[in-house]
Amino acid sequence: MKPRHLVRSLLLLSMLLGALLLAGCQRGDELPWKLTNVTGHMPDLDFKLVDDHGKPVTGADYRGKVVLLYFGYTHCPDVCPLTLAQLHVVMQRLGPLADGARILFVSVDPARDTPDVMHAYVNAFDPRAVGLSGEPRALEALSKRYRSAYTREPDKADGQYEVSHSSAIYLFDRDGKARLLSTAADAQDDLVHDLHLLLDNGAKP
Amino acid sequence: MKLRCAVLIAGCLFAGMAMAGDADQVAASRGWIRVMPGALPAGGYVVLENHGEHAVSLSSASSPAYAEVMLHKSSTDTGMGRMEDVSALPIPAHGKAALSPGGYHLMLMKAKAPVKVGDKVRVTLRFADGSTLDTQFEAKPANTIDGGDMAGMDHH
């Protein structure tokens, strides 16, 4: 290959790479996420559960909203309230943008968490939180779908019991695509930052 | 008669000494309860400072407002949220131990009457030597992040 050809080839290659990078940015793949990016590695938001008004709902009912999915249960006195209180602060920090987001709090304790209990519970934290409960089988399906886990611990003498459960928060975009994973180790600023990206991005036509 | 008085005084002194104990060297501050809807169990938090020369250990708590109070510890180490019963929370000499959200906490169950935001709830802390410390916890809304900070500001 003559030197002139080599230069031309290199130029062409760099132009091609530049075009690819630009295309990547436009598709949103190169957004500067701070949380764990799970785009393409987890299935779209889908479930068949009952909301805290007793209405049957599916994942499709939340298309158009950025969703924060979190598993827990109402008899959990410490970690679940702390996480929901933190999510409430996150929503407040988003200001009016927060109306484009929903916190879906899924109960891993179907025996005790009825829609009524869930309604009182989620509303004690944030008006944009929805309490989802349902049949054990439907709950299991959702948990498996996102490789989440929960275990009912042995009953105590008075019939009370705890439920151990995954503490991660799953973030979905407005199209119901799984995008990010947030854990207790992540800073609140990072969650606010990435929610801004998800909400701003989704607002574009 | 004199002898009887002396015995009585000695008895009183002894009783006083028996009551004195680990609790005397501990100061509790910023106590608060996360009020939950309905009859759901609530978390209780407090900061304990040990001004003494030896380590002490919190072993249990009780409250006239709740039928049951348990000392627990939460963890999310492995990505799993778990809760375990704890039999003792050590407080080092001249040190501090905090019951705070996501860690050590009291689990207050079966409120005898609904506890409302703003209520002051008496909580008695019991130490390993049997001595007790009466404290007041302030009832705060469910979505409080760390009510201790605000309660602390009220006191200082």
Side-chain angles (χ1 to χ4, degrees):
Chain A
M1 195 187 277
K2 286 176 189 168
R4 197 186 288 169
H5 283 142
L6 184 69
V7 168
R8 200 183 284 170
S9 308
L10 279 173
L11 255 171
L12 210 73
L13 191 70
S14 59
M15 275 166 69
L16 196 74
L17 273 172
L20 274 172
L21 278 172
L22 272 176
C25 284
Q26 276 163 355
R27 284 210 316 272
D29 290 348
E30 304 300 321
L31 285 170
W33 303 116
K34 298 209 167 172
L35 302 172
T36 308
N37 187 355
V38 297
T39 306
H41 297 287
M42 279 198 174
D44 296 357
L45 185 67
D46 191 27
F47 53 80
K48 277 186 183 141
L49 294 167
V50 178
D51 74 7
D52 55 88
H53 295 282
K55 192 181 120 201
V57 286
T58 68
D61 289 320
Y62 299 94
R63 295 291 185 268
K65 298 285 181 196
V66 167
V67 164
L68 296 91
L69 181 74
Y70 175 61
F71 296 89
Y73 65 111
T74 68
H75 279 70
C76 160
D78 187 46
V79 170
C80 306
L82 174 63
T83 304
L84 289 172
Q86 284 168 340
L87 289 183
H88 169 65
V89 172
V90 166
M91 294 298 253
Q92 279 183 318
R93 287 179 61 184
L94 289 171
L97 268 182
D99 291 335
R102 289 290 177 272
I103 300 164
L104 299 187
F105 178 69
V106 179
S107 170
V108 291
D109 186 9
R112 289 186 293 196
D113 288 340
T114 62
D116 280 351
V117 174
M118 292 293 277
H119 185 72
Y121 189 83
V122 294
N123 278 288
F125 293 96
D126 194 275
R128 289 142 304 202
V130 178
L132 300 177
S133 52
E135 294 295 321
R137 206 173 292 173
L139 173 63
E140 218 168 285
L142 176 60
S143 170
K144 272 204 185 123
R145 191 172 172 84
Y146 298 106
R147 293 165 228 164
S148 171
Y150 58 95
T151 316
R152 180 170 160 170
E153 304 294 348
D155 284 18
K156 297 175 182 174
D158 58 358
Q160 297 289 332
Y161 57 88
E162 313 299 343
V163 187
S164 297
H165 57 92
S166 298
S167 53
I169 299 160
Y170 301 75
L171 280 80
F172 297 83
D173 65 19
R174 293 180 198 263
D175 299 325
K177 301 265 179 244
R179 302 303 297 266
L180 302 159
L181 206 58
S182 170
T183 68
D186 291 314
Q188 188 179 78
D189 285 352
D190 292 350
L191 184 53
V192 172
H193 174 272
D194 283 5
L195 278 169
H196 264 290
L197 288 182
L198 278 177
L199 288 160
D200 290 345
N201 205 33
K204 282 178 194 161
Chain B
M1 192 62 192
K2 254 184 187 169
L3 183 71
R4 203 179 285 176
C5 262
V7 168
L8 206 70
I9 289 166
C12 287
L13 280 173
F14 182 71
M17 279 167 65
M19 273 161 64
D22 288 352
D24 285 355
Q25 62 187 59
V26 176
S29 62
R30 307 184 200 172
W32 67 285
I33 290 172
R34 187 190 296 285
V35 176
M36 303 303 297
L40 292 171
Y45 310 97
V46 68
V47 176
L48 301 173
E49 272 174 279
N50 180 3
H51 298 297
E53 301 295 331
H54 65 269
V56 300
S57 178
L58 175 69
S59 55
S60 67
S62 60
S63 169
Y66 295 87
E68 247 183 276
V69 181
M70 288 150 97
L71 181 58
H72 275 173
K73 189 187 176 192
S74 300
S75 65
T76 50
D77 300 341
T78 54
M80 285 288 279
R82 286 180 208 282
M83 208 161 74
E84 55 182 321
D85 290 346
V86 174
S87 55
L89 166 63
I91 313 160
H94 298 292
K96 227 189 233 189
L99 281 80
S100 60
Y104 286 99
H105 60 273
L106 299 178
M107 180 164 162
L108 304 135
M109 299 167 75
K110 299 172 193 156
K112 290 170 185 168
V115 174
K116 295 182 294 295
V117 172
D119 286 357
K120 301 267 196 271
V121 178
R122 198 174 88 207
V123 176
T124 302
L125 305 173
R126 183 174 293 272
F127 294 85
D129 68 344
S131 60
T132 58
L133 179 66
D134 276 343
T135 60
Q136 279 217 325
F137 281 37
E138 190 180 341
K140 291 184 174 278
N143 58 12
T144 305
I145 290 281
D146 187 358
D149 289 342
M150 284 185 293
M153 276 163 64
D154 292 343
H155 295 306
H156 295 299

